[in-house]
Amino acid sequence: MEPYEHATQQPERRPWVVGVSGASGTPYAAAVLRGLLAAGEDVDLVVSRASRLTLLDETGIAFRDAHWREDLRTWLAMGADGKPQTFEPDVSRVRHWAAGDLAAGPSSGSYPVKGMLIVPASTACVAGVALGLSKDLLQRAASVTLKERRPLVVAVRETPLSGQTLKQLVALDEAGAIVLPASPAFYAGATHIQDLVDFVAGRVLDAAGVPHRFYRRWKGELGGGRSPEGG
């Protein structure tokens, strides 16, 4: 057998890395994950320690490394209004990496991924990535994404923004990241909290080039979002 011939036997798995930081907005992360999986994408998931506290506060779900698949399924099944079993997620394409595992696959530039989405991104996460701190796997994976010139979408969720954070967001933009504030729009005819969440998730997926049907797109017709056909 030729050297490395075994490496060509199966199609290479190239996931999107999804990092969930401690900012409020766990429904945004859930929607993005559902969108990626619905599009047939593989996902490598990193849930920071701080985000687990936010997830517990916003949903009542305790995300545990030892039971991550069960907890993830419960989380993704929940609607943005907190109603359980709103969705029927298939998490078979998800691989979870512990936030403290700096030897994980996404910590290396040789690990094949399509890019990384940080949803939501806290100001502490923004600062860490902008400064290249790599204090945990989420920050390290983001730094690797930048140095390898892969797509990095940072869905920052904070208001108001301090001058220091604005400078750090500019630094991320200059480094090649897409800075995408978690800012819902209303022209798509939102009638439910899930619609507002899905709009932001859809914009994240747009930035990553992943197809979705999360919201009605603008077609240049005023009032289109209010029409039955969406304009």
Side-chain angles (χ1 to χ4, degrees):
M1 184 172 66
E2 292 297 323
Y4 309 114
E5 182 179 338
H6 63 281
T8 64
Q9 298 302 309
Q10 296 181 348
E12 185 177 53
R13 180 179 182 272
R14 296 184 67 86
W16 284 96
V17 179
V18 176
V20 186
S21 80
S24 176
T26 55
Y28 292 132
V32 166
L33 287 166
R34 286 193 297 265
L36 288 170
L37 296 174
E41 299 285 348
D42 291 314
V43 173
D44 275 21
L45 178 63
V46 182
V47 181
S48 75
R49 290 189 175 93
S51 70
R52 298 175 193 225
L53 297 176
T54 308
L55 182 63
L56 181 63
D57 183 55
E58 294 184 345
T59 69
I61 297 171
F63 193 91
R64 303 160 293 175
D65 286 337
H67 304 279
W68 70 266
R69 196 176 296 276
E70 173 188 346
D71 296 336
L72 177 63
R73 189 178 292 110
T74 301
W75 177 25
L76 298 193
M78 182 178 292
D81 58 359
K83 183 179 179 180
Q85 300 179 346
T86 299
F87 303 98
E88 297 181 1
D90 177 5
V91 300
S92 61
R93 301 182 75 106
V94 180
R95 177 181 293 173
H96 168 259
W97 300 96
D101 185 4
L102 291 177
S107 68
S108 172
S110 66
Y111 183 76
V113 303
K114 292 183 177 180
M116 183 172 183
L117 316 174
I118 305 179
V119 188
S122 66
T123 55
C125 173
V126 167
V129 176
L131 297 174
L133 298 182
S134 297
K135 73 170 187 177
D136 61 9
L137 180 58
L138 194 159
Q139 291 185 12
R140 171 59 185 170
S143 295
V144 167
T145 302
L146 288 176
K147 81 179 183 68
E148 297 294 329
R149 302 297 192 266
R150 295 166 180 158
L152 174 63
V153 181
V154 181
V156 60
R157 214 309 304 164
E158 183 62 88
T159 190
L161 295 171
S162 70
Q164 192 60 43
T165 297
L166 290 170
K167 293 176 183 177
Q168 290 159 352
L169 291 173
V170 169
L172 288 179
D173 176 79
E174 292 175 343
I178 297 175
V179 176
L180 193 152
S183 177
F186 296 86
Y187 64 78
T191 59
H192 191 276
I193 186 174
Q194 189 68 55
D195 298 328
L196 297 175
V197 168
D198 285 349
F199 180 87
V200 172
R203 296 299 288 152
V204 171
L205 296 180
D206 284 345
V210 176
H212 67 87
R213 299 184 66 182
F214 269 139
Y215 64 86
R216 297 168 177 168
R217 297 187 180 277
W218 176 253
K219 296 183 178 179
E221 298 177 11
L222 294 178
R226 296 191 298 275
S227 70
E229 294 80 17

